[in-house]
Amino acid sequence: QVQLVESGGELVPAGGSLRLSCAVSGFTHSQYDMAWFRQTPGKERDFVAVMSWIGENTYYTEYARSVKGRVTISRDNDKNILFLQMNNLKPEDTAVYYCAADLAAPGAIRRKASAYEFWGQGTQVTVSS
């Protein structure tokens, strides 16, 4: 059974940092595309960052324009954990953050939530001004 469990979200002041984690079980983590999305009440789930498997422990990474330069997505395949390091947080980063996974589709960069089959339950990040 596939499970993704996020953690690390909390209340932080503007300018602060957080590292979110997503513990993965139930599949071979290394050959899956994995991504982070975020959602605020009443809005769609927005793409934040993705690591797409392109072969032999090699991944392509991409970031949403709104977070580029402030966040870093990474993964520990030995421990089956996906991370999102977020720095210089802004109040507009406040959201529930979700990790997502799906079997790798080499050549496809999936930025839409509908492209992912597996999801975690989310972790709340609140940035105070």
Side-chain angles (χ1 to χ4, degrees), residues 54-68:
I54 56 177
E56 200 68 41
N57 281 330
T58 304
Y59 300 89
Y60 170 83
T61 60
E62 188 172 300
Y63 300 92
R65 196 171 297 179
S66 59
V67 301
K68 195 171 185 179

Side-chain angles (χ1 to χ4, degrees), residues 67-99:
V67 301
K68 195 171 185 179
R70 300 189 296 119
V71 307
T72 303
I73 188 172
S74 62
R75 60 203 290 170
D76 183 330
N77 287 337
D78 291 335
K79 296 181 180 178
N80 277 358
I81 303 176
L82 180 75
F83 299 103
L84 186 71
Q85 176 67 44
M86 302 191 294
N87 301 320
N88 190 22
L89 283 161
K90 304 176 180 180
E92 52 263 42
D93 294 319
T94 295
V96 178
Y97 283 71
Y98 297 90
C99 67

Side-chain angles (χ1 to χ4, degrees), residues 1 68 124:
Q1 183 180 357
K68 195 171 185 179
Q124 176 71 48

Side-chain angles (χ1 to χ4, degrees), residues 8-23:
E10 61 181 78
L11 172 64
V12 294
S17 297
L18 277 178
R19 188 174 79 158
L20 306 183
S21 299
C22 174

Side-chain angles (χ1 to χ4, degrees), residues 14-52:
S17 297
L18 277 178
R19 188 174 79 158
L20 306 183
S21 299
C22 174
V24 175
S25 62
F27 61 86
T28 304
H29 173 249
S30 62
Q31 295 184 14
Y32 271 64
D33 292 350
M34 297 202 68
W36 287 96
F37 287 79
R38 65 187 183 186
Q39 189 172 25
T40 54
K43 295 192 175 181
E44 293 185 352
R45 203 164 285 190
D46 290 334
F47 167 75
V48 175
V50 62
M51 287 190 78
S52 295

